Amino acid sequence: TEALIGLQTRFILYAGRPVTPAQLQMPRLIARNQIAPLVYRSGALLIETSGRALSEGSAGEVIAVMTLDTHQTVSALIAPDGSLQISR
């Protein structure tokens, strides 16, 4: 039961029916179309900008993000703090 704490449901659950792991997911940190910090880090180089998420996601997932300044689409990893990390 403690393993379920902090998770959210993927869809509606009905009273009296068992809850299975397939019905649960990590909490969504990023919503579709959300503007979030977009960070590229390589050694001492740090570049920060903003990007628009093209899908929703949880920490540890990779999603497509459109940069607001160049409108370029990149893949980014969702960090636990809700920022989007680009790595190449």
Side-chain angles (χ1 to χ4, degrees):
T1 337
E2 288 185 23
L4 303 179
I5 295 173
L7 298 179
Q8 71 182 51
T9 60
R10 292 181 188 270
F11 41 82
I12 296 172
L13 300 179
Y14 296 98
R17 293 190 185 171
V19 177
T20 65
Q23 295 171 314
L24 303 173
Q25 65 187 12
M26 294 298 295
R28 294 297 183 197
L29 294 180
I30 299 293
R32 186 172 187 268
N33 288 324
Q34 178 179 337
I35 305 299
L38 191 56
V39 180
Y40 174 78
R41 209 177 260 123
S42 179
L45 177 66
L46 173 67
I47 301 172
E48 295 183 21
T49 187
S50 294
R52 178 181 307 275
L54 300 179
S55 62
E56 65 178 18
S58 303
E61 292 182 338
V62 175
I63 61 169
V65 181
M66 182 180 66
T67 61
L68 295 182
D69 49 357
T70 64
H71 300 288
Q72 189 175 14
T73 301
V74 296
S75 295
L77 176 72
I78 302 173
D81 66 357
S83 65
L84 302 167
Q85 309 289 322
I86 299 174
S87 61
R88 292 199 177 183

PDB file of all heavy atoms in Angstrom, residues 1-7:
ATOM      1  N   THR A   1       0.824  -1.193   0.000  1.00  0.00           N
ATOM      2  CA  THR A   1       0.000   0.000   0.000  1.00  0.00           C
ATOM      3  C   THR A   1       0.868   1.257   0.000  1.00  0.00           C
ATOM      4  O   THR A   1       0.519   2.228  -0.637  1.00  0.00           O
ATOM      5  CB  THR A   1      -0.920   0.031   1.234  1.00  0.00           C
ATOM      6  OG1 THR A   1      -1.101  -1.265   1.730  1.00  0.00           O
ATOM      7  CG2 THR A   1      -2.210   0.670   0.911  1.00  0.00           C
ATOM      8  N   GLU A   2       1.998   1.227   0.715  1.00  0.00           N
ATOM      9  CA  GLU A   2       2.862   2.400   0.752  1.00  0.00           C
ATOM     10  C   GLU A   2       3.461   2.704  -0.615  1.00  0.00           C
ATOM     11  O   GLU A   2       3.793   3.849  -0.895  1.00  0.00           O
ATOM     12  CB  GLU A   2       3.959   2.218   1.793  1.00  0.00           C
ATOM     13  CG  GLU A   2       3.444   2.313   3.209  1.00  0.00           C
ATOM     14  CD  GLU A   2       4.561   2.258   4.234  1.00  0.00           C
ATOM     15  OE1 GLU A   2       5.705   2.578   3.886  1.00  0.00           O
ATOM     16  OE2 GLU A   2       4.267   1.890   5.372  1.00  0.00           O
ATOM     17  N   ALA A   3       3.600   1.695  -1.460  1.00  0.00           N
ATOM     18  CA  ALA A   3       4.139   1.908  -2.808  1.00  0.00           C
ATOM     19  C   ALA A   3       3.196   2.740  -3.665  1.00  0.00           C
ATOM     20  O   ALA A   3       3.605   3.301  -4.673  1.00  0.00           O
ATOM     21  CB  ALA A   3       4.405   0.573  -3.474  1.00  0.00           C
ATOM     22  N   LEU A   4       1.929   2.826  -3.289  1.00  0.00           N
ATOM     23  CA  LEU A   4       0.941   3.588  -4.059  1.00  0.00           C
ATOM     24  C   LEU A   4       0.921   5.068  -3.696  1.00  0.00           C
ATOM     25  O   LEU A   4       0.393   5.881  -4.444  1.00  0.00           O
ATOM     26  CB  LEU A   4      -0.457   3.003  -3.840  1.00  0.00           C
ATOM     27  CG  LEU A   4      -0.630   1.525  -4.184  1.00  0.00           C
ATOM     28  CD1 LEU A   4      -2.057   1.081  -3.882  1.00  0.00           C
ATOM     29  CD2 LEU A   4      -0.274   1.249  -5.618  1.00  0.00           C
ATOM     30  N   ILE A   5       1.518   5.414  -2.560  1.00  0.00           N
ATOM     31  CA  ILE A   5       1.490   6.804  -2.103  1.00  0.00           C
ATOM     32  C   ILE A   5       2.270   7.682  -3.084  1.00  0.00           C
ATOM     33  O   ILE A   5       3.394   7.376  -3.456  1.00  0.00           O
ATOM     34  CB  ILE A   5       2.068   6.931  -0.677  1.00  0.00           C
ATOM     35  CG1 ILE A   5       1.168   6.184   0.295  1.00  0.00           C
ATOM     36  CG2 ILE A   5       2.216   8.390  -0.265  1.00  0.00           C
ATOM     37  CD1 ILE A   5       1.702   6.081   1.703  1.00  0.00           C
ATOM     38  N   GLY A   6       1.655   8.775  -3.510  1.00  0.00           N
ATOM     39  CA  GLY A   6       2.292   9.711  -4.424  1.00  0.00           C
ATOM     40  C   GLY A   6       1.993   9.455  -5.887  1.00  0.00           C
ATOM     41  O   GLY A   6       2.345  10.263  -6.736  1.00  0.00           O
ATOM     42  N   LEU A   7       1.361   8.327  -6.213  1.00  0.00           N
ATOM     43  CA  LEU A   7       1.009   8.039  -7.599  1.00  0.00           C
ATOM     44  C   LEU A   7      -0.350   8.633  -7.922  1.00  0.00           C
ATOM     45  O   LEU A   7      -1.129   8.954  -7.028  1.00  0.00           O
ATOM     46  CB  LEU A   7       0.981   6.528  -7.835  1.00  0.00           C
ATOM     47  CG  LEU A   7       2.300   5.789  -7.620  1.00  0.00           C
ATOM     48  CD1 LEU A   7       2.109   4.299  -7.865  1.00  0.00           C
ATOM     49  CD2 LEU A   7       3.390   6.342  -8.506  1.00  0.00           C
TER      50      LEU A   7
END
